[in-house]
Amino acid sequence: MRAAARAQPNIALVKYWGKRDTERNLPAVGSISITLADLSTTMRVEFDETLAGDSLRVNGQPSDAMLPRVSRCLDAVAGQERSRATVVSESNFPIAAGLASSASAFAALVVAADAAAGTGHGREQLANLAGMASGSAARSIYGGFVELANAGDHVAVATLCAAEDWPLTVVVAITASGPKVVGSTQAMETSRDTSPFYARWVEQQSADLDEARAAIGAQDFPRLAAVAEHNCLKMHSVMWASRPPMVYWNATTLECMEAVRDMQADGIPVFFTIDAGPQLKAVCDPSAAAAVRERLETTAGVEAVMVTGLGEGARLLTDG
Ligand code: 2P0
């Protein structure tokens, strides 16, 4: 009745922003992401019929705030009649700072809970269960370049290109640590309810997905760079035009963006993307990784830099 699983966060190149069904947490738009290699969350789940309630520890500390969401996810995987569980989560990167910690956490949680409960869900089902807990978590079930598509009352998720077939490098510039001001779930609803650009955002997404899919199929870096930066800035424009406005960037985020622009002008194959947080993620060809790292590390205000390749999807650990 116990198991452990590991999953990595993913970074969307064509973003998920907005929900079409808040009850089942279904996204309003499809998305395309890359799963990272070196940042990870390990989840240990143990069901025990003698326990009176679920418990959760995150990086050694009890986490009552996240517990209801984890309990609902366990109900979805193992059924309402399940035994209560002890859940222990360890991440090797800062949580709740726009680095998709919920994606790696819930992807690892559903894989561990499925094994611990012996429910034997298929991969597609696990992606849907992870997505119900956190939309982006569905993508971390898979590795490499991953597309999530809306399909009726569920999502269809698949790897478009394996990590080893187009091994890009991601350099994450941490410009501020600590939890974000507005959580994504609330921010998405505010955008849908108030942003004059939201409807256009949803309408244009399939064109961006087509463009990114084609760029990935052809391993065309400049083409992928152009659509990814466009889609990122469009998502942030939706947020900026919301009421109240949601601006996740700080001055250092902009300094990093300018550093990426300077590198592009020098012919370095790199592009940026930014999620619901102030960190800038630079995606580059591995041959440029050292230069990109050095440039971002020496950009004023950057607190730390993390470098990673692309990795595999969520998986069980045998030392469970
Ligand atoms: C993404 N983000 O595609 C986008 C870009 C943030 C900006 O998916 O409400 O934490 O739990 O389904 O998965 C963050 O959203 O949101 C996210 P919920 P989630 O990566």
Side-chain angles (χ1 to χ4, degrees):
M1 293 300 273
R2 84 185 161 146
R6 183 167 295 152
Q8 286 92 250
N10 66 78
I11 289 174
L13 304 182
V14 178
K15 310 284 191 190
Y16 152 47
W17 195 253
K19 298 173 196 285
R20 70 189 151 97
D21 182 336
T22 48
E23 199 61 38
R24 285 176 298 172
N25 201 40
L26 291 169
V29 292
S31 52
I32 291 179
S33 60
I34 43 181
T35 301
L36 305 180
D38 298 329
L39 318 181
S40 68
T41 302
T42 303
M43 278 279 179
R44 291 173 201 283
V45 177
E46 180 165 12
F47 290 107
D48 179 347
E49 61 187 16
T50 67
L51 290 172
D54 295 330
S55 68
L56 170 68
R57 289 180 85 80
V58 177
N59 292 338
Q61 301 294 325
S63 177
D64 293 338
M66 278 290 283
L67 182 58
R69 226 170 134 192
V70 165
S71 292
R72 276 198 303 277
C73 184
L74 294 174
D75 288 348
V77 173
Q80 306 266 2
E81 306 304 315
R82 68 178 173 82
S83 301
R84 300 300 102 186
T86 304
V87 180
V88 178
S89 169
E90 304 278 344
S91 289
N92 68 353
F93 61 97
I95 57 169
L99 277 171
S101 58
S102 67
S104 51
F106 285 106
L109 182 67
V110 297
V111 171
D114 175 61
T119 34
H121 295 300
R123 200 142 268 265
E124 184 77 33
Q125 178 66 2
L126 290 171
N128 275 274
L129 289 163
M132 277 169 62
S134 187
S136 55
R139 300 186 309 235
S140 277
I141 295 290
Y142 295 83
F145 293 77
V146 176
E147 178 164 9
L148 180 151
N150 270 324
D153 64 352
H154 65 287
V155 295
V157 192
T159 292
L160 293 172
C161 172
E164 57 273 23
D165 290 339
W166 196 12
L168 299 180
T169 301
V170 179
V171 181
V172 181
I174 308 288
T175 68
S177 39
K180 51 186 149 186
V181 187
V182 189
S184 312
T185 304
Q186 188 197 326
M188 285 186 207
E189 288 305 285
T190 301
S191 287
R192 189 185 61 174
D193 292 343
T194 69
S195 179
F197 302 152
Y198 182 78
R200 288 289 278 154
W201 156 258
V202 172
E203 206 175 289
Q204 291 190 357
Q205 187 79 341
S206 68
D208 288 359
L209 289 166
D210 290 348
E211 179 66 9
R213 201 184 305 111
I216 292 162
Q219 299 194 6
D220 184 335
F221 190 89
R223 194 174 174 188
L224 184 61
V227 68
E229 288 190 357
H230 166 70
N231 189 267
C232 165
L233 294 174
K234 195 162 52 179
M235 177 187 76
H236 284 277
S237 302
V238 171
M239 300 180 194
W240 283 40
S242 298
R243 288 171 182 253
M246 291 165 298
V247 178
Y248 283 107
W249 307 352
N250 59 33
T252 306
T253 315
L254 281 163
E255 293 281 353
C256 290
M257 211 185 286
E258 198 169 308
V260 171
R261 289 276 180 256
D262 287 348
M263 288 188 276
Q264 289 171 334
D266 290 341
I268 295 175
V270 58
F271 66 86
F272 68 79
T273 191
I274 305 161
D275 294 299
Q279 328 309 358
L280 179 133
K281 291 102 180 198
V283 182
C284 65
D285 188 85
S287 63
V292 172
R293 177 195 192 130
E294 184 176 352
R295 184 63 212 263
L296 289 174
E297 241 166 17
T298 54
T299 296
V302 170
E303 291 182 2
V305 156
M306 295 186 288
V307 182
T308 172
L310 308 191
E312 55 187 323
R315 65 224 170 265
L316 272 178
L317 298 178
T318 46
D319 68 349

